[in-house]
Amino acid sequence: MRIDLNSDLGESFGPWPMGQDAALMESITSANVACGFHAGDPGVMRQTLALARVKGVAVGAHPGFPDLVGFGRREMKATPAEVEDFVLYQVAALAGMARAQGVTLQHVKAHGALYNMACKDRALADAIAKAVAAFDRSLILFGLPNSELLRAGQAAGLPVAAEVFADRAYERDGSLTSRTRPGSVIHDTAAVVERAVRMVKDKEVIATDGSVIALQADTICLHGDTPGAADHARAVRRGLESAGIRVTALS
Amino acid sequence: MRIDLNSDLGESFGPWPMGQDAALMESITSANVACGFHAGDPGVMRQTLALARVKGVAVGAHPGFPDLVGFGRREMKATPAEVEDFVLYQVAALAGMARAQGVTLQHVKAHGALYNMACKDRALADAIAKAVAAFDRSLILFGLPNSELLRAGQAAGLPVAAEVFADRAYERDGSLTSRTRPGSVIHDTAAVVERAVRMVKDKEVIATDGSVIALQADTICLHGDTPGAADHARAVRRGLESAGIRVTALS
Amino acid sequence: MRIDLNSDLGESFGPWPMGQDAALMESITSANVACGFHAGDPGVMRQTLALARVKGVAVGAHPGFPDLVGFGRREMKATPAEVEDFVLYQVAALAGMARAQGVTLQHVKAHGALYNMACKDRALADAIAKAVAAFDRSLILFGLPNSELLRAGQAAGLPVAAEVFADRAYERDGSLTSRTRPGSVIHDTAAVVERAVRMVKDKEVIATDGSVIALQADTICLHGDTPGAADHARAVRRGLESAGIRVTALS
Amino acid sequence: MRIDLNSDLGESFGPWPMGQDAALMESITSANVACGFHAGDPGVMRQTLALARVKGVAVGAHPGFPDLVGFGRREMKATPAEVEDFVLYQVAALAGMARAQGVTLQHVKAHGALYNMACKDRALADAIAKAVAAFDRSLILFGLPNSELLRAGQAAGLPVAAEVFADRAYERDGSLTSRTRPGSVIHDTAAVVERAVRMVKDKEVIATDGSVIALQADTICLHGDTPGAADHARAVRRGLESAGIRVTALS
């Protein structure tokens, strides 16, 4: 049994720091690095890549909508062709900066509203998969289990990874409970660890209505922008390892 | 005897067209493609690359300062480290988009104020050369003859190409006459052709004071944003060919 | 009988020109000036305001989504509070630049996707109306007849103007025929003039199914970004004047 | 005897917080609010204005170069006409957002590289003064004592305020010691208070070479982006008040 732990990093911009990248990299195995459209700038990208190399953390591109002030969290009605172009641009920019440091990209995970939309909208999902496949067919595409994004990746011949959230509540249908609902985010570390272990070992999670739902889990996302995120990540990793699960990057 | 003809293309942005890229590609042999910082956007970049592939024109990255409204023409006091980062980012983005279309980058030519500053400032020149060399040592770095930019490229182990301007007046010291001076730009096509041929055949040009100055010419830059640019480019190409000079890309 | 003729102007950006502002200002009576988010920059705004003052054309703010590369034409899921803030910012910036030239703003017309969304979504419409009312209660708010935008303006105590399109087909329910449908844009100038006159004189237009629909028309929008736009505008103005309609700004 | 205490606030952007605005507003009397070009966004501007109104702090515009990632700290070779346009745009945007909240702008202080350049370059200084005067002749223009910026403000008929830095070392010629030199920033609060009191009471400061130099001080700048900035500001204010100096806004 094995699992990957991923986190969104490199989200500083210009004079504005964000996140605790170095501390989180002690526990995670894959870093999703912002590529300059919703966060990150060339200097931040270089520093994040250098840090990941030193810490031995695998690196992926984290392309988002071109909406810096909105942090890529606002839905934008971009066409599939537009999405394909700006995903390719961002993946290529990060991959090239990684290459200059002797680092090879492992994966691609769309960010924020783009990720959420592409998980449900096959045309957007296909656009992302097409961009990634055109650039490098060995890149692993992240997506929610059973999402259009994963299906598009498979259809494009890409390796894919099903991403789960141990600190988020799930609905009976396998979707994430909306953040606007009370209880949608689980803050208790012990509960998160327990859910993480169950997700990996039993490939299931208990939904908000108490039902047990099946769930493929290749990688668990840990949030890096909350206070105590690094401690939380360490606890989740130890909990998984204590349960006999090997925590390792996907590649 | 051979020469490359290059032009700055892909300078449209969003809803705003610029230049006559398709027409110019009938005559030039190398296209310098804007990478999104001073002009160009991912969609424009894709279209320009596709056009270059169809027309058989070699492609290079044309990275500029992050100053869209100023078109990268305003000097910015960026540090060498900042310049290195954003040149690498832009080159990588374009190279990756090219790769997705089966196109290999031939060269890198800095744009506007960045080019002018780096031709004189060794620290900036080294930053650009370092970024290019870290990404791909086979890329040809463009620069003015005898410039710091060419020297930096050579020091970094890059192939370099000396770029001349057949439609610009030169000073006795080999520098370009400032655009603010009368006569700095030569509009007569016959005169431009004559200068171009002499530059290639005799490796010399007549300066504004009448003196003959030596000049290495590997590539001639043709401006693409003026009315009649395509006709002008065709005439220059024919003039060179009529003089027995082979017009061909560098690679 | 009177009517205002408006057009979207000041849509150049940095090195990229757009439109035939000076020529159009010979015929229109109100200019909607881009404010820097989807088009326009401070220099373009100043020039457009100066031109409008010389030509005696009334000026309004034309705020859009912060999406330069998408020209404000892509829907963005911005919250009403976000929309209120960036409409206020844009209106204030243009109003202040106008004040510096001794010009007083007449109106506000939202641009592109923001306009279309706010015509249907009352929360966005209220956000726009609130921003305008907080800044200056004498500004006239433009919107489609019977739209949420007009209703929101009236509820906020603003003067409003119903905007019609003489060169666009209308559906039976009074909405504009989608641009993706054949025949949605009417190119024949004589037909446009006839429709314009009927809209003003009889307050009606013939829909695509042949039915006659009632329509309040305070201002007619003329597109400025098509070839022949200036000639077209002149013809529409003359046609209206020949029919005894006074063409004049709203204020 | 009286003095104004100012600080640069409203420097958050999108998802990235910066500074301790609310805490600083307990001690300062004038807030320089970023206007969206180097920092700040319409939402941040609204919140900062609302906070200043509640705290009774006077508000000024803090326009900077259009260089978000560089935080307006990099010199840009913009023309005076360009500077005039984008200062006017930014001042107008902030003034209008303030008006919507019932707040009247007190002053304008250029930011970062623009401030430093305009203090020495009369053409840039005139451009800033011209923009401010065209918008509102009652706005107070900030600048270093004896700077071109202050002289330009006076020549344009604007009220001006000489700004001093109690925590920065001064050279014999009255200029600020470069931040790259050791000892250029004074961190000891007691020393800063002593210097502040002397600046106000005796209109002088001791330079790095021990000489006493005369200095007009209308407002003291307190940095808001360092740890302990709020405590520091409180101590400076108390120190000034204990010395019998009234701490109050300029208007």
Side-chain angles (χ1 to χ4, degrees), chain A residues 35 43 46 85 89 99 135, chain B residues 35 43 46 85 89 99 135:
Chain A
C35 305
R46 177 182 42 76
D85 287 337
Y89 180 98
R99 181 163 113 184
F135 180 70
Chain B
C35 305
R46 178 182 42 76
D85 287 338
Y89 181 97
R99 182 163 112 184
F135 180 69

Side-chain angles (χ1 to χ4, degrees), chain B residues 65-67 69-78 112-114 116-117 120 178 180, chain D residues 64-67 72-84 86 113-114 117-118 121 123-124 127:
Chain B
F65 278 124
D67 179 16
V69 71
F71 200 56
R73 284 184 176 149
R74 297 191 284 219
E75 292 189 10
M76 287 182 73
K77 219 172 186 168
L114 179 59
N116 295 333
M117 292 169 79
K120 293 176 194 161
S178 167
T180 58
Chain D
F65 278 124
D67 180 16
R73 284 185 176 148
R74 297 191 285 217
E75 291 188 10
M76 288 181 72
K77 221 172 185 170
T79 64
E82 288 170 340
V83 166
E84 184 184 338
F86 63 62
L114 179 59
M117 291 169 79
D121 179 331
L124 291 183

Side-chain angles (χ1 to χ4, degrees), chain C residues 35-37 41-46 81-82 84-86 88-90 92-97 99-101 131 134-136, chain D residues 35-37 41-47 81-82 84-86 88-90 92-97 99-101 131 134-136:
Chain C
C35 305
F37 275 39
D41 62 51
V44 168
M45 289 162 71
R46 176 182 44 75
E82 288 170 339
E84 184 184 338
D85 287 337
F86 62 62
L88 176 54
Y89 181 98
Q90 292 178 76
L94 186 77
M97 295 198 83
R99 181 163 111 184
Q101 297 203 28
F135 180 70
D136 183 349
Chain D
C35 305
F37 274 40
D41 63 51
V44 168
M45 289 162 72
R46 177 182 42 75
Q47 289 165 23
E82 288 170 340
E84 184 184 338
D85 287 337
F86 63 62
L88 175 54
Y89 181 97
Q90 292 178 75
L94 186 77
M97 296 199 82
R99 182 162 112 184
Q101 297 203 27
F135 181 69
D136 182 350

Side-chain angles (χ1 to χ4, degrees), chain B residues 115-129 141-156 160:
Chain B
Y115 183 81
N116 295 333
M117 292 169 79
C119 279
K120 293 176 194 161
D121 179 331
R122 184 60 186 264
L124 290 183
D126 282 335
I128 293 171
L141 187 64
F142 281 26
L144 294 179
N146 292 316
S147 65
E148 295 296 342
L149 195 43
L150 279 204
R151 278 189 280 274
Q154 286 166 326
V160 299

